[in-house]
Each structure stands twice: as structure tokens, then as C-alpha cells.
């Protein structure tokens, strides 16, 4: 049994993805709603609710194989404040890392560290924020590398996320977990460019992690849509008409194509503010019928919540994505407990990890690293 800490644990998606061979020794989150959801699904014996800045090393039991940290993305997101690691939310990386340094001083550092965040972390402040993260990890005694994984390979949701993996530098990296050069699937040009900007000393400690492609995804958006969704209502004809009026000609063409297929077609709509061509900006409705939902976001107002659209000939029906549908898009089973309040339930999913993504990363990289003879010897 492998053991881990789960920081910024949310609803426990890291635990769900890591699987039965991993035991969570300690979990922490400041959000009481997420913590309640975590406790309902996983129990609260190892859960501490509160600010990570208030966590003491003495509260962290044992020596884990892994420390997982999905630290807040708002200040690193392309749509966020732009404050980066100096922001109040994404800056919580630093109190997390102070805990890792304290464990190192006590000679019980995690053998592996995984950080998860939005891809904006790659380019934030011209790449300086990523450099600071990599420097902190390397100075803490780890070699490091990163991958960008799009959840679309696993679930019908377009959701790209950055995963940074650090391994104790005293351990020989198993050959099957690394490559000599980046791969197109997991290492996009932005990440390769950011790697090229790293100081030489950090590039020498960089690993191009090797991960096999997943099997073809078998589900599409229509498979997760509920026939009788709870917690949401179908829009009135007038509300749907207003949504259609907000579409550009290119989006209306998508509607015309969907109507011509002679069968029900399920799509999603996002309302976004776009330039109006006259120097101003206006809200637009953008639709997709490719069987994949757009990236879930937390419900900070109506524009951040996805709308389900079902087109069947001349019939067009719309409603908000339900909380259960959002959970399914994150790879959570229907037995997973969700709050009754729509915004609270949606927030848990929208801020979470996609479970099959964590599972694939675990099977392909984390488990082989933890199970390697070199790491076992280092742990002895």
C-alpha cells in the first residue's frame, strides 16, 4: 500500500484516481463545502479543514510516497488576475512548499511530488512563475518534469491541465518512465518553449516523462446527459430564442447542420464576451456539436456555466448542465455524493481533477516510480 498527502484536496478526486493501492494519510482544504463533500465520500479521519498556511509539519503523519497539490489556479489562469505566484490564491504554492521543506529538514520528505494547475502556469509572467516552481522543486532535492494532459482523451470534456512531477534526485529514474526528448501528445510547444527558457542548472534536472497514449475514448457528451435532470429546468422558448439570437453566423451554421441530420443532436453552449467589430464588446453564444463539452468552470455568474442544447429538426431545447452531468464529465461515478445546492455541487466538480486522467498518470508514471527498486532502496 502506497501512502500520500492530498493538499487542496477538494472533493477527493486525486484519491479517487490514485485508487485502492494508495492510502491518504492527510488531506487538507480551506473550502468547507468541498471538505463536506470529501468527508461524505471518503470519511474525515485524515481530513483537516483550514488554511494551508496554518498547517504545521507535526500535523503531517509518517513519510509519504507522494505529496499531491492541486493548488488554486485563479492567479495563473489566462482569464484570471495575472498576479501569478504572487497572488493571494495561486501564491498558496509557497506555504505548501514550506511544508515540503520542513519535512525534508526532518528527513521524511515525500519521495514524489505532483503539482496540478491550469496551462496558464506555463506562460504566467513570461514563464518566470514556472521557473520559480521548478527551481523550488529542484532546490528541494528533486528532479522534475511536466506533462500537459487533455481530459478529452478520457472523458467527453475538453480540459487541458499541467502536471508537474518531482522525484527525489537520489533515485535513478526507471528507463520506461522517461524519454530523451518531448513527445507531441504530452509536451505541447508552449511547454517545450518554457523548458528552453529554464536556466541551464534547472534544465539538467529536467525529465521528459514518458506516458503511453490512453485507449480510444468510448463515450460522447450524449452518453452523460440525463433524460430527467434534477436541479435544473428546461429554458422557456423565449430564453432559448434569446440564446440563439446571441450566435454569430458561424455558430448559426452549426445549428443548421445539426438540424439537417434528422436525429437528436446534443451540444453545449458557452456565453462569452467577444469584440463586436465596432470597437466594443458584446456577449455571444458559442455552440459545439462535436460530442465533447467545453471545460467546466466554477459558477462565478451565468457566463461560466455551460448550457446543454438538444437539437432535433426544428426543435431546440436548452438548459443548464446539471450537477450530476458535471460530475460525470469529471469521471466520477453516480454513487459519488454531491450537495443538493446546484452551485455548491457544480463548484466541487468545476474545481476538481478528472479521475481517469489521475488514474492513467498513476498507472503509467507514479506507480512505476514508487515501485522501482531504486526508490524502495532509498526509502529503506
Amino acid at each position: 500500500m502506497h501512502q500520500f498527502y492530498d493538499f487542496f484536496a477538494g472533493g477527493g478526486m486525486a484519491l479517487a484516481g490514485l485508487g485502492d493501492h494508495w492510502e491518504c494519510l492527510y488531506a487538507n482544504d480551506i473550502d468547507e463545502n468541498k471538505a463536506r463533500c470529501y468527508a461524505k465520500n471518503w470519511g474525515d479521519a485524515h481530513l483537516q479543514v483550514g488554511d494551508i498556511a496554518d498547517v504545521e509539519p507535526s500535523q503531517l503523519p509518517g513519510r509519504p510516497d507522494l505529496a499531491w497539490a492541486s493548488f488554486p489556479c485563479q492567479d495563473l489562469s489566462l482569464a484570471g488576475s495575472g498576479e501569478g505566484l504572487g497572488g493571494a490564491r495561486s501564491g498558496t504554492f509557497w506555504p505548501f512548499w514550506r511544508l515540503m521543506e520542513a519535512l525534508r529538514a526532518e528527513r521524511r520528505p515525500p519521495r514524489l511530488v505532483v503539482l496540478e494547475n491550469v496551462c496558464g502556469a506555463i506562460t504566467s509572467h513570461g514563464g518566470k512563475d514556472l521557473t520559480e516552481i521548478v527551481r523550488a522543486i529542484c532546490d528541494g532535492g528533486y528532479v522534475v518534469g511536466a506533462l500537459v494532459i487533455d481530459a478529452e482523451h478520457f472523458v467527453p470534456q475538453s480540459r487541458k491541465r499541467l502536471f508537474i512531477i518531482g522525484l527525489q534526485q537520489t533515485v535513478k529514474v526507471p528507463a520506461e518512465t522517461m524519454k530523451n526528448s518531448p513527445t507531441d501528445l504530452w509536451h505541447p510547444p508552449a511547454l517545450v518553449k518554457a523548458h528552453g527558457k529554464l536556466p541551464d542548472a534547472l534544465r539538467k534536472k529536467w525529465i521528459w516523462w514518458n506516458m503511453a497514449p490512453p485507449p480510444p475514448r468510448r463515450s460522447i457528451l450524449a452518453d452523460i446527459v440525463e433524460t430527467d435532470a434534477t436541479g435544473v429546468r428546461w429554458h422557456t422558448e423565449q430564453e432559448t430564442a434569446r440564446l440563439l439570437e446571441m450566435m454569430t453566423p458561424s455558430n448559426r451554421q452549426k445549428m443548421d447542420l445539426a438540424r439537417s441530420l434528422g436525429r437528436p443532436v446534443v451540444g453545449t453552449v458557452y456565453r462569452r464576451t467577444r469584440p463586436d467589430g465596432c470597437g466594443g464588446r458584446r456577449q455571444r453564444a458559442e455552440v459545439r456539436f462535436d460530442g465533447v463539452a467545453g471545460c467546466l468552470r466554477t459558477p462565478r455568474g451565468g457566463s461560466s456555466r455551460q448550457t446543454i442544447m438538444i437539437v432535433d429538426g426544428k426543435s431546440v431545447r436548452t438548459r443548464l448542465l446539471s450537477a450530476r452531468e458535471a460530475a460525470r464529465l469529471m469521471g466520477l461515478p453516480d454513487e459519488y455524493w454531491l450537495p443538493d445546492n446546484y452551485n455548491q455541487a457544480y463548484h466541487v466538480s468545476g474545481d476538481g481533477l478528472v479521475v481517469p486522467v489521475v488514474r492513467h498518470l498513476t498507472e503509467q508514471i507514479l506507480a512505476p516510480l514508487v515501485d522501482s527498486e531504486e526508490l524502495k532502496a532509498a526509502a529503506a
Side-chain angles (χ1 to χ4, degrees), residues 71-187:
F71 64 105
C73 67
Q74 291 92 337
D75 301 311
L76 294 166
S77 170
L78 297 179
S81 66
E83 294 183 53
L85 290 180
R89 290 170 290 191
S90 298
T92 51
F93 166 76
W94 296 114
F96 159 73
W97 196 251
R98 282 195 291 272
L99 286 171
M100 299 303 100
E101 292 284 18
L103 293 176
R104 183 187 183 201
E106 296 177 2
R107 298 189 177 183
R108 54 186 187 106
R111 296 159 186 116
L112 283 168
V113 173
V114 175
L115 306 177
E116 180 265 349
N117 214 286
V118 295
C119 293
I122 299 173
T123 55
S124 175
H125 288 168
K128 291 180 181 178
D129 285 334
L130 180 65
T131 298
E132 288 305 303
I133 292 172
V134 171
R135 178 178 287 110
I137 294 172
C138 291
D139 288 349
Y142 297 85
V143 293
V144 65
L147 311 92
V148 171
I149 307 177
D150 192 339
E152 185 176 341
H153 297 301
F154 304 86
V155 296
Q157 181 195 174
S158 177
R159 187 184 185 90
K160 294 181 180 179
R161 290 295 185 265
L162 174 69
F163 294 83
I164 301 173
I165 304 173
L167 172 69
Q168 281 186 319
Q169 62 186 10
T170 55
V171 178
K172 181 180 179 182
V173 183
E176 67 272 17
T177 63
M178 64 177 178
K179 293 182 72 71
N180 293 326
S181 59
T183 59
D184 292 340
L185 183 57
W186 309 122
H187 307 114

Side-chain angles (χ1 to χ4, degrees), residues 198-359:
L198 292 174
D200 289 344
L202 298 182
R203 284 206 303 273
K204 290 178 182 179
K205 295 183 178 181
W206 184 270
I207 303 292
W208 292 113
W209 297 113
N210 181 38
M211 190 164 70
R217 174 171 50 83
R218 296 181 179 181
S219 62
I220 60 174
L221 176 63
D223 297 328
I224 68 99
V225 171
E226 300 176 289
T227 304
D228 299 310
T230 57
V232 291
R233 61 169 180 82
W234 290 103
H235 293 156
T236 65
E237 290 184 8
Q238 292 77 14
E239 288 171 323
T240 297
R242 282 197 294 271
L243 199 62
L244 296 177
E245 290 170 359
M246 294 166 60
M247 290 186 177
T248 60
S250 61
N251 280 277
R252 292 194 187 104
Q253 288 178 356
K254 295 179 185 179
M255 292 289 301
D256 293 339
L257 178 58
R259 285 184 171 120
S260 71
L261 295 178
R263 58 176 174 79
V265 182
V266 180
T268 60
V269 181
Y270 257 133
R271 286 180 289 171
R272 305 180 190 275
T273 301
R274 300 297 193 194
D276 61 6
C278 302
R281 297 175 69 82
R282 62 177 294 186
Q283 198 173 56
R284 292 292 193 181
E286 299 179 356
V287 65
R288 58 188 298 173
F289 292 109
D290 58 355
V292 177
C295 182
L296 292 182
R297 299 188 182 100
T298 54
R300 308 291 188 191
S303 62
S304 67
R305 293 177 291 183
Q306 263 179 106
T307 296
I308 291 288
M309 174 175 283
I310 301 180
V311 177
D312 189 2
K314 293 183 178 181
S315 171
V316 180
R317 295 200 299 164
T318 60
R319 61 165 170 81
L320 287 178
L321 184 77
S322 76
R324 181 55 62 188
E325 289 163 343
R328 290 172 182 167
L329 286 174
M330 301 301 288
L332 289 166
D334 285 353
E335 308 85 63
Y336 184 88
W337 183 88
L338 291 170
D340 292 332
N341 179 278
Y342 177 86
N343 277 359
Q344 290 180 353
Y346 201 106
H347 189 73
V348 169
S349 297
D351 261 1
L353 292 153
V354 175
V355 174
V357 170
V358 178
R359 185 172 299 127

Side-chain angles (χ1 to χ4, degrees), residues 43-96:
D44 60 1
H46 56 277
L47 176 65
Q48 181 182 5
V49 184
D51 193 328
I52 190 170
D54 298 329
V55 178
E56 298 292 338
S58 59
Q59 296 172 299
L60 305 177
R63 182 187 180 184
D65 297 293
L66 165 68
W68 185 290
S70 295
F71 64 105
C73 67
Q74 291 92 337
D75 301 311
L76 294 166
S77 170
L78 297 179
S81 66
E83 294 183 53
L85 290 180
R89 290 170 290 191
S90 298
T92 51
F93 166 76
W94 296 114
F96 159 73

Side-chain angles (χ1 to χ4, degrees), residues 32-46:
E32 292 186 0
N33 171 56
K34 293 178 186 176
R36 180 167 69 103
C37 198
Y38 186 105
K40 285 280 189 179
N41 287 286
W42 313 109
D44 60 1
H46 56 277

